[in-house]
Amino acid sequence: MAVKDVLLALTTYPDPTPVSAVEEAIAFASAVGAQISAIACAVEIRAPGSFLADMVMDIQAMAAAESRKSATNAESLLTAFRDTAEKQGVFQDRILARCLKPEVPELLVEYARLRDLTIVPLPEGDSVEHWCAEAIIFGSGRPTLIIPQPRKRADTFALDTVLIAWDFSRPASPAVADALPILKKAKRVTVITITNEKVIDTSRSGAELAKHLARHDVQVVLETVDAEGRAVGDVLRSCVASRNADLLVMGAYGHSRVRDFILGGATRSMIAQPPLPILLSH
């Protein structure tokens, strides 16, 4: 199935998504031939009532000001998104939602379930965006593209070199299937299998994957990389850098319980500090 309906998840509070991330998401949609919508939530900040706190610093007024800040950011981002997406001919919809801050991840999950793919820009360090990204990855049932911010980027979203992290696992299989429309547009696709890290219970894994992708007109190069005692995340970072990759495709390991996300080591490492855009499926 082609990627035709893309959603961009925008953050409005405490800091808004950078406009550069909006532009990069739109460039991705253009590169894969998709239409793109954006969703931004005007977050309502509620302060607990306290007579003493209100006397000292007027907590309710401060909360109202923060809510107005979020609403202003939402309108500004959606306007910038619409203007840029219309110029690129990929605009589909702008969605302005309103909810409490703890409700944002589930709201995004609900919209993500109805899209081919959701894009989440991720700043460095722990943030509300990481919370939302994990919710979408594990809750939407659809692929998620995380884009690190800030990063140097070209005017177009390059698909010159795409890497697939392949270990014959249950999460890796849907990741490849979800990425197939994108792989068809890439100039080079390399399948990386990391050895001496865990047992891969088949000897036909890489060769059979190459045959399968060739039937979809995707020619790949198979490579094995010895972990040599390194963590998988570190090995993948090295592969990305040495091959000047534009996109990494990988399965997401872990599960969620309400808002408690238990991540696998490689997934946690790559989400915490993504070195490039990563397409994740669970």
Side-chain angles (χ1 to χ4, degrees):
M1 182 180 71
V3 176
K4 293 296 184 182
D5 188 10
V6 173
L7 179 68
L8 170 61
L10 299 171
T11 299
T12 67
Y13 186 85
D15 298 310
T17 299
V19 173
S20 60
V22 175
E23 294 171 345
E24 189 166 10
I26 292 169
F28 169 81
S30 179
V32 300
Q35 296 290 296
I36 184 169
S37 303
I39 181 170
C41 183
V43 177
E44 182 181 350
I45 309 298
R46 290 184 181 174
S50 169
F51 176 75
L52 180 59
D54 285 343
M55 285 186 60
V56 174
M57 60 182 68
D58 197 354
I59 296 297
Q60 300 300 326
M62 293 172 63
E66 293 301 290
S67 296
R68 289 193 296 271
K69 172 184 172 182
S70 177
T72 299
N73 289 339
E75 286 289 355
S76 178
L77 281 170
L78 288 173
T79 298
F81 163 77
R82 181 192 60 205
D83 291 347
T84 305
E86 285 181 342
K87 289 179 182 178
Q88 295 296 321
V90 296
F91 175 75
Q92 182 159 258
D93 194 13
R94 49 167 275 166
I95 304 163
L96 175 61
R98 300 182 186 278
C99 63
L100 296 173
K101 184 178 178 181
E103 298 171 345
V104 173
E106 186 57 34
L107 174 74
L108 296 179
V109 167
E110 290 177 359
Y111 276 94
R113 286 176 180 165
L114 303 172
R115 299 300 191 277
D116 294 333
L117 177 148
T118 297
I119 300 174
V120 184
L122 288 186
E124 296 178 351
D126 191 22
S127 66
V128 65
E129 289 89 347
H130 287 78
W131 182 23
C132 292
E134 291 171 6
I136 293 169
I137 290 167
F138 292 105
S140 70
R142 299 296 184 98
T144 305
L145 177 67
I146 59 175
I147 300 178
Q149 295 296 318
R151 78 183 190 99
K152 296 179 180 178
R153 65 174 193 87
D155 291 335
T156 58
F157 194 101
L159 287 173
D160 294 331
T161 301
V162 176
L163 299 187
I164 299 173
W166 180 251
D167 61 358
F168 202 65
S169 66
R170 167 65 179 81
S173 182
V176 172
D178 289 336
L180 190 55
I182 300 170
L183 299 178
K184 290 182 177 182
K185 297 180 180 294
K187 293 182 179 179
R188 292 178 296 277
V189 179
T190 300
V191 177
I192 301 290
T193 298
I194 300 173
T195 60
N196 294 322
E197 189 275 328
K198 69 176 183 180
V199 176
I200 298 178
D201 58 359
T202 178
S203 60
R204 295 179 296 276
S205 173
E208 290 300 318
L209 175 62
K211 289 179 183 178
H212 168 67
L213 291 175
R215 293 175 185 129
H216 289 276
D217 300 319
V218 178
Q219 304 301 320
V220 305
V221 174
L222 299 176
E223 294 187 20
T224 58
V225 178
D226 194 328
E228 298 180 330
R230 295 172 292 170
V232 174
D234 293 336
V235 178
L236 289 176
R237 291 176 193 281
S238 177
C239 291
V240 163
S242 63
R243 292 157 181 79
N244 194 29
D246 301 299
L247 176 71
L248 174 66
V249 176
M250 63 182 290
Y253 292 81
H255 64 277
S256 63
R257 293 195 304 265
V258 190
R259 296 186 179 90
D260 178 24
F261 295 94
I262 312 300
L263 306 182
T267 306
R268 183 187 306 109
S269 173
M270 300 308 284
I271 292 177
Q273 292 183 316
L276 80 171
I278 304 175
L279 182 72
L280 293 131
S281 294
H282 175 68

